[in-house]
Amino acid sequence: MASENLTASGYIKHHLQNLTFGQHPDGSWGIAHGADEAAAMGFWAIHLDTMLFSIGLGILFLWLFRMAAKKVSADTPSGLQNFVEMMVEFVDNSVKESFHGKSRVIAPLALTIFVWIFLMNLMDLIPVDFIPHLATLAGVPYFRIVPTTDINATLGMSLSVFALIIFYSVKIKGVGGFTKELTLQPFNTPIMIPFNFVLEMVGLLAKPVSLALRLFGNLYAGELIFILIAILPWFAQWALSVPWAIFHILVITLQAFIFMMLTIVYLSMAHEDH
Amino acid sequence: MNINLTLIGQAISFAIFVWFCMKFVWPPVIAALEERSKKIADGLEAANRASRDLELAQEQATKTLRESKEQAAEIIEQANKRANQIIDEAKEQALTDGQRLRDAAQAEIEQDAARAKEALRSQVSALALIGAEKILGASVDEKAHSEIVEQLAKEL
């Protein structure tokens, strides 16, 4: 347990605090110490730990896959190529099953989402104290290593997907078609246009929000339970943390898969005329 | 749980990752997968074709074998026929040859016999003449009686 937080609630709070860099209300720049200071920084602050780990894992993913892709051949595959091909084939099949349009973006997008989110979720399985404690020893007060437990990370991705939904809706159906879809459904009469619009708008906006909150909620809850388990006496922790970690392997894979599948489904909906 | 700049940072890095994946990871891997599946399909087709070819070749081989057997039988039959023919011919030849030889021998024998008869007859006539001369005690004009003697000799 981190040395300066001896109470349970302090320990939990400490673990749920991102390493935030931004401008303090008094005008100086620096790292926020505590949740209040971080909140005071407003929008123009950045979570260094989230950025570091998400970008690091993204680069790891691309480096690994790029290495395999460079050496890829149609002959008998081996080792890394096997794994990469398996992932690519899995994603490709998922895309082909639910997406019937033609797009060069959607399959690589799905692959990136799946592997990247999986890697970020995977950080949840590293014991909760290892890296934060090392960071504390190195003089960094806060460190959260699971980027997907930061709403900014999940919302950042889901908003990017949302932008793609809007982009493809407009590209395929045109501005007029997209507007029609928003205003003339489900009741195709001019009088109902406002009602339709509100209804469709809620449906549209619910997509990125639900995407982001689902992933964030699952991983946040998972992390919280790991933290709660870590409060137990050291000799009893394994009895709970091991089953939870094993169960969590399923959760992190499933959440990455769900994010990917929903992205494909949303984009495929954006490609289809009703 | 502050929403802050991290969100935009995440969106940017996400976009870059997707772009990189789309540009440098996805195409080579998917190309290799497609190529391999094509290779496998080609291989299966080649195997099918080969087995079909094999079947055809076996059929052909059986047919050729049967044909050559038939031909061989035919040749043997012909050879047998020819042999019989040769034997028959030889037999016939031998028969005719024998016949001819026998005929020739017969003719010679007959000739010899005739010649001997002739000689005997002339000798008998001479003897008869001598006998008659002796009996008559007079010389017989050979010229005048030769006709009679001749006739005698012929009757002998």
Side-chain angles (χ1 to χ4, degrees):
Chain A
M1 290 189 200
S3 51
E4 72 264 36
N5 297 297
L6 293 171
T7 64
S9 75
Y11 173 76
I12 292 169
K13 270 185 191 157
H14 177 259
H15 265 283
L16 293 179
Q17 171 65 41
N18 278 102
L19 181 64
T20 315
F21 181 85
Q23 194 177 23
H24 290 296
D26 60 13
S28 63
W29 290 83
I31 285 164
H33 291 272
D36 300 336
E37 276 186 34
M41 283 174 178
F43 183 77
W44 297 105
I46 193 156
H47 292 161
L48 294 177
D49 46 1
T50 301
M51 291 307 289
L52 181 73
F53 264 83
S54 61
I55 292 175
L57 290 168
I59 288 171
L60 174 72
F61 149 61
L62 289 173
W63 172 73
L64 208 67
F65 274 56
R66 175 66 188 151
M67 209 164 65
K70 262 197 289 195
K71 281 188 283 186
V72 82
S73 74
D75 300 326
T76 317
S78 61
L80 183 65
Q81 194 192 332
N82 253 331
F83 167 73
V84 169
E85 278 183 5
M86 203 180 76
M87 297 298 294
V88 167
E89 217 159 18
F90 162 69
V91 172
D92 196 40
N93 285 337
S94 304
V95 170
K96 274 181 186 152
E97 267 168 28
S98 37
F99 183 79
H100 304 296
K102 265 205 159 181
S103 171
R104 292 192 318 112
V105 183
I106 187 155
L109 172 78
L111 179 70
T112 310
I113 287 175
F114 182 66
V115 182
W116 194 29
I117 291 181
F118 176 76
L119 286 175
M120 291 196 283
N121 290 352
L122 195 64
M123 294 297 108
D124 215 3
L125 293 181
I126 296 177
V128 283
D129 272 326
F130 273 21
I131 290 174
H133 194 68
L134 286 176
T136 310
L137 290 180
V140 178
Y142 302 101
F143 215 84
R144 288 177 80 188
I145 59 165
V146 194
T148 39
T149 57
D150 182 353
I151 185 85
N152 289 294
T154 60
L155 205 57
M157 275 189 289
S158 73
L159 286 180
S160 306
V161 171
F162 183 62
L164 278 176
I165 294 175
I166 302 288
F167 171 74
Y168 279 116
S169 291
V170 172
K171 189 183 165 197
I172 303 292
K173 299 161 192 162
V175 179
F178 188 42
T179 316
K180 260 187 212 160
E181 193 181 292
L182 289 179
T183 50
L184 297 177
Q185 278 181 5
F187 304 109
N188 194 1
T189 47
I191 316 152
M192 295 299 275
I193 282 178
F195 178 74
N196 286 341
F197 185 71
V198 170
L199 208 65
E200 285 290 311
M201 220 47 187
V202 168
L204 189 67
L205 292 177
K207 285 172 182 174
V209 173
S210 67
L211 261 187
L213 288 184
R214 182 181 302 107
L215 182 59
F216 164 73
N218 272 284
L219 269 292
Y220 191 83
E223 196 200 22
L224 200 60
I225 289 176
F226 274 122
I227 295 169
L228 289 176
I229 290 169
I231 294 173
L232 293 174
W234 62 269
F235 52 84
Q237 286 181 15
W238 65 270
L240 287 172
S241 67
V242 168
W244 181 241
I246 292 169
F247 175 65
H248 218 59
I249 294 172
L250 179 71
V251 172
I252 62 176
T253 318
L254 201 63
Q255 286 306 320
F257 178 70
I258 288 171
F259 200 109
M260 178 191 82
M261 269 329 276
L262 284 178
T263 303
I264 296 169
V265 169
Y266 289 160
L267 287 179
S268 125
M269 277 160 73
H271 273 75
E272 276 161 17
D273 277 315
H274 292 286
Chain B
M1 219 140 328
N2 317 303
I3 298 221
N4 58 23
L5 213 52
T6 315
L7 183 136
I8 294 175
Q10 282 288 316
I12 292 169
S13 39
F14 181 50
I16 293 171
F17 290 153
V18 171
W19 170 80
F20 187 91
C21 182
M22 193 179 97
K23 210 82 185 163
F24 300 109
V25 173
W26 191 264
V29 175
I30 209 77
L33 285 177
E34 267 163 20
E35 196 187 329
R36 178 162 333 120
S37 69
K38 194 173 159 291
K39 256 187 180 173
I40 291 171
D42 286 355
L44 285 177
E45 205 199 330
N48 263 341
R49 211 168 40 231
S51 77
R52 226 172 24 241
D53 283 357
L54 178 67
E55 214 171 279
L56 230 69
Q58 270 173 348
E59 226 168 74
Q60 188 71 35
T62 319
K63 205 172 126 196
T64 312
L65 195 67
R66 205 175 52 235
E67 272 175 8
S68 44
K69 264 184 188 161
E70 273 169 14
Q71 265 179 0
E74 206 176 311
I75 289 169
I76 289 171
E77 202 185 326
Q78 269 180 0
N80 276 338
K81 225 194 265 172
R82 181 92 188 102
N84 284 338
Q85 208 179 349
I86 289 170
I87 290 170
D88 284 353
E89 272 173 16
K91 263 186 195 160
E92 217 168 295
Q93 186 79 33
L95 277 177
T96 49
D97 278 4
Q99 190 67 40
R100 204 182 60 235
L101 282 175
R102 221 168 47 208
D103 286 357
Q106 189 84 34
E108 208 170 324
I109 290 165
E110 273 170 15
Q111 249 175 20
D112 281 356
R115 235 192 332 265
K117 259 186 201 168
E118 196 68 33
L120 274 174
R121 201 185 291 144
S122 59
Q123 274 173 11
V124 167
S125 64
L127 276 175
L129 257 172
I130 295 163
E133 262 176 30
K134 277 196 180 145
I135 294 162
L136 294 176
S139 65
V140 178
D141 189 4
E142 239 175 85
K143 270 191 185 124
H145 301 289
S146 65
E147 206 172 317
I148 302 164
V149 176
E150 280 291 295
Q151 207 160 355
L152 203 75
K154 254 188 199 138
E155 276 164 23
L156 278 172

